[in-house]
Amino acid sequence: MMLMMSRRSLLGLLALCASVAFCKPTSEKKERVHHSKDLDERDPIDQNGFQFDHDAFMGREGSKTFDQLTPEESKERLGKIVDRIDDDQDGLVTADELTSWIKRAQNRYVDDNVKKHWNEYDTNRDGQISWEEYRNATYGFHVDESFSDVSNDEDKASYRKMLKRDVRRFEKADKDGDKVATREEFTAFLHPEEFDYMKPIVVLETIEDIDKDGDGMVDEKEYVGDMYSPVDGESEPDWVKNEQEQFRRFRDLNKDGKMDKEEVERWILPGDYDHAMAEAKHLIHESDKDEDGKLSKEEFLENYNRFVGSAVTNFGELLDNHDEF
């Protein structure tokens, strides 16, 4: 899900991390809207693309496994997956069955992500991750918490900001305050949106990322600016006007022109909307040829590129989006 991070911000953080060894601070992974595990809002820039559907259906990492396959191989593997989704084995996949599959796919992403990073940070192999282990593996052993050995002042300020944020998030995730994270606490540290006690951190970090004038709130200009940066000579895309309307009608609930902490929380951590179910219904709507509200294996395979990618479909997307290069 776009997760409301501007492309320019993301590229800047990636470039910054490339300049110092081992830099993988949590702020690099910052995302905005957290509806369920790794399932967020469809990027308004890519309304017609399939990548969101692929990530929702297979999980972000799982979808990548299809990217090197031929269309025939993708279809064959998708057919086997459909058999697993069809819990009652009646030959048809319902919205509930597809929703259950999507939720399992997103759960796997979080578990796999923690597993992938665990040994990287648990350097003494004691089954826990101390703050010192995480800090050294992330920022490098040269850290004196002032980054005096970083020559560029702008980079130095950025590192200090990221370190301060990581300290605060680690301390919040560390429920017993012993400065050592168990697997559950480290999961809360990497994926705070999945834990109720971490919600204040998610809201605070979001406001810090978007709030440019330092008033502790998010106005319409800041909200839109986080997703879109005007380019000289180019007309404003239609989706920008839609986001402006979204802000005025649904984000700024008290109509004071800004989102406070409560309004930001309702935006990025909505609790009254099942996005996995919404995505399941969307996939069925797009692929249900006989309009019976369910999907047969044939319907999955006829519209396979809606659910999974392949080397061919990815090449086509590159051609369609050549301006990104």
Side-chain angles (χ1 to χ4, degrees):
M1 296 180 201
M2 105 184 138
L3 282 276
M4 305 295 186
M5 185 176 196
S6 67
R7 185 172 298 144
R8 179 176 296 179
S9 298
L10 178 58
L11 292 175
L13 282 168
L14 290 175
L16 178 61
C17 282
S19 66
V20 174
F22 308 113
C23 181
K24 307 180 195 70
T26 55
S27 36
E28 176 191 338
K29 305 177 182 70
K30 189 76 225 102
E31 298 179 336
R32 299 287 180 244
V33 184
H34 306 280
H35 302 299
S36 64
K37 294 179 174 62
D38 197 40
L39 181 58
D40 311 290
E41 287 185 341
R42 192 177 298 273
D43 189 338
I45 300 176
D46 188 31
Q47 289 293 319
N48 298 319
F50 291 159
Q51 191 58 54
F52 180 91
D53 295 323
H54 297 172
D55 291 348
F57 183 69
M58 290 299 301
R60 188 171 297 170
E61 293 301 317
S63 69
K64 294 177 183 178
T65 64
F66 283 81
D67 293 347
Q68 306 304 318
L69 303 179
T70 66
E72 292 73 22
E73 291 170 331
S74 288
K75 289 180 182 180
E76 180 181 1
R77 192 169 297 187
L78 176 60
K80 295 176 180 178
I81 290 171
V82 172
D83 291 337
R84 295 167 58 189
I85 300 173
D86 183 14
D87 289 333
D88 60 10
Q89 295 298 298
D90 67 348
L92 295 171
V93 172
T94 65
D96 287 339
E97 288 172 329
L98 189 50
T99 299
S100 179
W101 169 264
I102 289 172
K103 288 182 177 180
R104 290 201 302 272
Q106 306 313 315
N107 286 336
R108 283 197 303 273
Y109 168 75
V110 171
D111 294 341
D112 290 348
N113 189 44
V114 173
K115 182 179 180 181
K116 180 173 68 174
H117 291 296
W118 186 262
N119 288 336
E120 179 182 355
Y121 297 126
D122 181 19
T123 54
N124 66 3
R125 301 298 186 262
D126 66 348
Q128 302 178 103
I129 295 174
S130 68
W131 164 248
E132 288 74 18
E133 286 177 309
Y134 173 80
R135 182 196 63 191
N136 292 338
T138 301
Y139 295 95
F141 290 92
H142 60 283
V143 173
D144 60 5
E145 305 210 0
S146 66
F147 296 97
S148 58
D149 58 340
V150 178
S151 57
N152 185 285
D153 288 341
E154 185 175 345
D155 288 353
K156 188 180 299 185
S158 296
Y159 280 121
R160 287 173 178 167
K161 180 180 178 180
M162 288 189 287
L163 178 61
K164 180 180 178 181
R165 174 176 288 194
D166 276 353
V167 169
R168 183 179 62 199
R169 191 194 282 195
F170 194 96
E171 290 177 347
K172 183 68 174 178
D174 180 20
K175 296 177 78 171
D176 57 12
D178 63 355
K179 296 186 179 181
V180 176
T182 63
R183 199 172 194 90
E184 180 180 357
E185 289 171 335
F186 191 64
T187 303
F189 173 69
L190 289 182
H191 298 276
E193 69 279 0
E194 305 301 333
F195 295 81
D196 285 342
Y197 79 98
M198 296 293 290
K199 283 183 178 181
I201 286 289
V202 178
V203 173
L204 179 58
E205 289 181 0
T206 301
I207 293 175
E208 288 176 344
D209 287 344
I210 306 177
D211 175 26
K212 303 305 181 185
D213 60 14
D215 66 351
M217 294 189 283
V218 176
D219 61 29
E220 181 181 318
K221 182 179 179 181
E222 292 166 336
Y223 171 79
V224 173
D226 186 55
M227 296 176 275
Y228 172 70
S229 297
V231 178
D232 291 341
E234 291 188 6
S235 59
E236 186 177 84
D238 291 339
W239 67 262
V240 173
K241 294 181 176 61
N242 180 62
E243 287 298 333
Q244 292 169 337
E245 183 67 16
Q246 288 284 317
F247 181 91
R248 295 164 192 162
R249 295 184 59 189
F250 304 113
R251 310 295 188 219
D252 178 21
L253 298 176
N254 63 8
K255 308 306 177 188
D256 66 350
K258 299 182 178 183
M259 285 194 289
D260 56 26
K261 288 182 179 180
E262 289 73 22
E263 289 167 327
V264 170
E265 180 173 341
R266 284 180 61 88
W267 166 41
I268 64 171
L269 297 167
D272 55 354
Y273 188 66
D274 189 337
H275 281 254
M277 174 62 82
E279 175 64 12
K281 290 181 177 179
H282 161 73
L283 289 171
I284 291 175
H285 173 75
E286 295 294 333
S287 307
D288 185 16
K289 189 174 182 179
D290 61 10
E291 299 184 350
D292 64 349
K294 303 174 184 180
L295 293 183
S296 65
K297 181 183 289 190
E298 290 71 24
E299 288 172 324
F300 270 96
L301 297 181
E302 284 179 13
N303 202 21
Y304 82 97
N305 60 346
R306 168 71 62 179
F307 299 91
V308 296
S310 71
V312 172
T313 57
N314 288 341
F315 181 67
E317 288 174 5
L318 288 178
L319 293 177
D320 289 339
N321 295 285
H322 63 279
D323 56 303
E324 291 298 319
F325 299 92

